Amino acid sequence: MIQITLPDGSKREFEQAVSVADVAHAIAPSLAKAALAGKIGTTTGETKLVDTSYIIDKDTSLAIVTAKDPEGLDLIRHSTAHLLAYAVKSLFPEAQVTIGPVIDNGFYYDFSYKRPFTPEDLEKIEKKMHELAKKDEKVVREEWLRDDAVAFFKEQGENYKAEIIASIPANETISLYREGDFIDLCRGPHVPSTGKLKVFKLMKVAGAYWRGDAKNEMLQRIYGTAWATKEEQQAYLTMLEEAERRDHRKLGRDLDLFHFQDEAPGLIFWHPKGWKIWQQVEQYMRQVYIDNGYQEVKAPQILDLSLWKKTGHWDNYKENMFTTESENREYGLKPMNCPGHVQIYNAGLHSYRELPIRYGEFGQCHRNEPSGSLHGMMRVRGFTQDDGHIFCTEDQLLTECANFTALLQKVYKDFGFTEVLYKIATRPEKRIGSDEIWDKAEKALMESLHQSHCEYEISPGEGAFYGPKIEYTLKDAIGRHWQCGTIQVDFSMPVRLGAEYVDADDQRKTPVMLHRAILGSLERFIGMLIENHAGAMPPWLSPEQAVICPISEQFNDYAQALCDQFKARGFRVSADLRNEKITRKIRENSLQKVPYILVVGEKEREAQGVAVRARGNVDLGIMPVEEFMARLADDVKYRRDIQTA
């Protein structure tokens, strides 16, 4: 008798081995129809996903996975990637398939083919996918010997697939999945039949090097999206349309904020208006430093390679570093600020009474990112971090981490982000330091989030090579997630670089070093702000807070006098004195997303006031100048968006 425990704690007994699909049918025929996979218990207490055809021959726990479950959506996307490959091979038999993983909101598959796929090809492929899905062919798992699988794919002309299989150890089971005439390598699981795949769309084609190496062949990567329902897919496509409208690269051009050019790949040319936004962000963060006990410092841009070798960066990060030479010495252009801050700390001997010591720097960093990964301000080669490092005792560790989380929440709220997600990234395979140190560091981060009453997820193996970290992720106005701030616990680098303090017993000890950033890259954060606000910055961040528009040239003197008055009070205000119609001035300044347009004519001059139009063409009527100044001052003081009432 086999006993199966269901998620609600109830148990089902079967006289003989039974498939996941059979169990689902025994529970309810409707559940069997909706079943995509099963989630069974393992001997280690964990769970694993299996096909509905998987045979259960001993006592275990089981949950039936449907499209309503997160795992179900991943299964749909994974299986749709294989359906894409099936369709491509049906239409273009000479194409070779490589890999096709699930990604956020969809999937992709890489192909080798003699010519580029066109938009018309994508339409044909998507149509073919729907035809294959409607056939509702079973997706069947097969297990092969490795060498047999290699020989089979070579015979089929699938050299990339044969290469992948040949790299698998000989004693491992090779699982292949067959649907109709198509067979592909995959660990699985997959949906039970192609008819489960109903809602998908191919998005675009891009280039991708085989195995990510520029020395290899350039493949064609077809991206797609897949969902459980049409409504979910339409919501996603609508979000993409809105994201395109908000694209910071487009808005950067339209609003004259910054630009990029080929002579400086991955680097930004800031225009005056864009640099004003930068200054507001930096000045705000500088005040955060002051208010929270940070001492601002500045470390050199280049350091001798010997120092980068001591820290472990050269062994673990050298492929991302720019280097230079002078007088037979090699230097590394800093990709991060931490080694420099340790040198500042080491310049004097510190007592335990001084700890924690908090350093902050707006540090210019450079990283040799692959050109294919560069993406506007979101992925650059030169950037500035609001970087900070805290030197503390182990006893102070939890308090510092918890206080940082509270500070970060306030800062994000001021910038308009109220929803924060928390993840703890644990030890990667390539790392420095003992397991005991990593245990201690990971435990401290988890406990700090418990103390802050924050729920969190674990990201296994995603920590930095020198320590685990908390990753703080923001949700923007259209529902996208942006990983932003971090705090990392580092027991290793202070030891490597000889950082010490004198404890209460007059003994020298090594401090714990916390690497922390709130905004991370200022460039990337400003890109996020531009997209979050669709370029319509709140007054405290806006390059121009108001524009004064006289209705004719005879009121230019009044407009200029007002402009001077506003500037004397510290506001960013300009006067549009062009000899243009007032309607054109209003329209063009509205397109520049200025928070307030102040129209002045005879009535306004006589009343010593301004006619106020808030962004969005909201008419707020005539206000005395002082009343509007007070309103704008409150917008800035409370970091709020424009008030339309």
Side-chain angles (χ1 to χ4, degrees), residues 36-97:
L36 299 179
K39 187 161 59 174
I40 64 169
T42 66
T43 55
T44 62
E46 299 176 345
T47 60
K48 73 171 183 176
L49 285 175
V50 296
D51 297 298
T52 57
S53 60
Y54 180 84
I55 300 300
I56 301 172
D57 57 6
K58 57 186 175 183
D59 293 354
T60 187
S61 62
L62 171 66
I64 303 299
V65 175
T66 71
K68 295 179 180 179
D69 300 305
E71 299 97 334
L73 187 53
D74 278 350
L75 278 169
I76 288 172
R77 288 170 176 165
H78 189 190
S79 297
T80 308
H82 281 242
L83 185 67
L84 164 60
Y86 185 5
V88 169
K89 289 293 292 183
S90 299
L91 294 170
F92 308 98
E94 295 178 8
Q96 292 188 60
V97 298

Side-chain angles (χ1 to χ4, degrees), residues 38-284:
K39 187 161 59 174
I40 64 169
T42 66
T43 55
T44 62
E46 299 176 345
T47 60
K48 73 171 183 176
L49 285 175
V50 296
D51 297 298
T52 57
S53 60
Y54 180 84
I55 300 300
I56 301 172
D57 57 6
K58 57 186 175 183
D59 293 354
T60 187
S61 62
L62 171 66
I64 303 299
V65 175
T66 71
K68 295 179 180 179
D69 300 305
E71 299 97 334
L73 187 53
D74 278 350
L75 278 169
I76 288 172
R77 288 170 176 165
H78 189 190
S79 297
T80 308
H82 281 242
L83 185 67
L84 164 60
Y86 185 5
V88 169
K89 289 293 292 183
S90 299
L91 294 170
F92 308 98
E94 295 178 8
Q96 292 188 60
V97 298
T98 61
I99 58 171
V102 172
I103 56 175
D104 288 345
N105 301 310
F107 58 90
Y108 70 77
Y109 215 115
D110 289 347
F111 300 93
S112 173
Y113 191 52
K114 59 188 177 184
R115 66 164 176 81
F117 289 125
T118 66
E120 292 75 23
D121 290 334
L122 283 197
E123 290 180 12
K124 292 177 183 177
I125 294 167
E126 185 175 314
K127 182 180 178 181
K128 188 66 175 179
M129 290 170 68
H130 282 289
E131 291 174 3
L132 295 171
K134 286 178 181 178
K135 291 172 70 174
D136 197 23
E137 295 175 315
K138 287 186 177 181
V139 181
V140 181
R141 177 185 171 95
E142 300 177 3
E143 294 185 357
W144 290 42
L145 295 174
R146 186 196 68 172
D147 291 347
D148 290 345
V150 171
F152 171 80
F153 281 103
K154 281 185 176 179
E155 184 180 339
Q156 298 294 314
E158 296 287 358
N159 298 321
Y160 289 96
K161 196 65 69 174
E163 180 182 328
I164 294 170
I165 298 171
S167 67
I168 299 172
N171 58 350
E172 284 197 24
T173 300
I174 303 298
S175 60
L176 306 180
Y177 280 81
R178 186 187 297 273
E179 46 195 282
D181 297 329
F182 179 68
I183 188 168
D184 200 0
L185 170 73
C186 190
R187 290 181 179 177
H190 278 282
V191 298
S193 68
T194 60
K196 300 293 185 183
L197 310 174
K198 294 181 172 66
V199 184
F200 51 81
K201 182 176 178 58
L202 298 185
M203 306 299 291
K204 63 179 181 179
V205 181
Y209 291 110
W210 170 237
R211 296 193 182 278
D213 189 337
K215 297 177 183 177
N216 292 333
E217 180 191 351
M218 174 69 79
L219 304 174
Q220 296 187 70
R221 176 169 294 177
I222 299 179
Y223 286 94
T225 189
W227 299 85
T229 68
K230 290 182 179 179
E231 292 76 15
E232 289 173 315
Q233 177 164 288
Q234 186 54 53
Y236 172 67
L237 296 176
T238 300
M239 185 275 287
L240 288 183
E241 291 175 3
E242 180 62 18
E244 185 175 353
R245 187 179 72 85
R246 293 169 178 255
D247 190 310
H248 70 281
R249 295 166 297 182
K250 177 181 180 298
L251 290 170
R253 292 190 303 270
D254 294 346
L255 302 178
D256 193 25
L257 303 178
F258 55 82
H259 81 271
F260 302 89
Q261 63 187 63
D262 291 341
E263 288 80 3
L267 302 169
I268 301 169
F269 292 81
W270 288 97
H271 299 194
K273 288 172 66 177
W275 193 244
K276 285 181 182 177
I277 298 175
W278 174 286
Q279 289 175 318
Q280 299 314 306
V281 173
E282 183 177 349
Q283 288 166 15
Y284 169 87

Side-chain angles (χ1 to χ4, degrees), residues 422-428 438 441-443 445-446 449 456-472 483 486-489:
Y422 306 88
K423 291 184 180 180
I424 295 180
T426 58
R427 67 197 74 184
W438 279 86
E442 290 170 356
K443 182 179 179 182
L445 291 181
M446 293 177 191
L449 288 182
Y456 62 87
E457 298 178 6
I458 299 293
S459 296
E462 295 296 319
F465 71 87
Y466 49 80
K469 59 184 175 179
I470 301 175
E471 296 178 336
Y472 303 87
Q483 195 278 308
T486 60
I487 187 166
Q488 304 168 351
V489 179

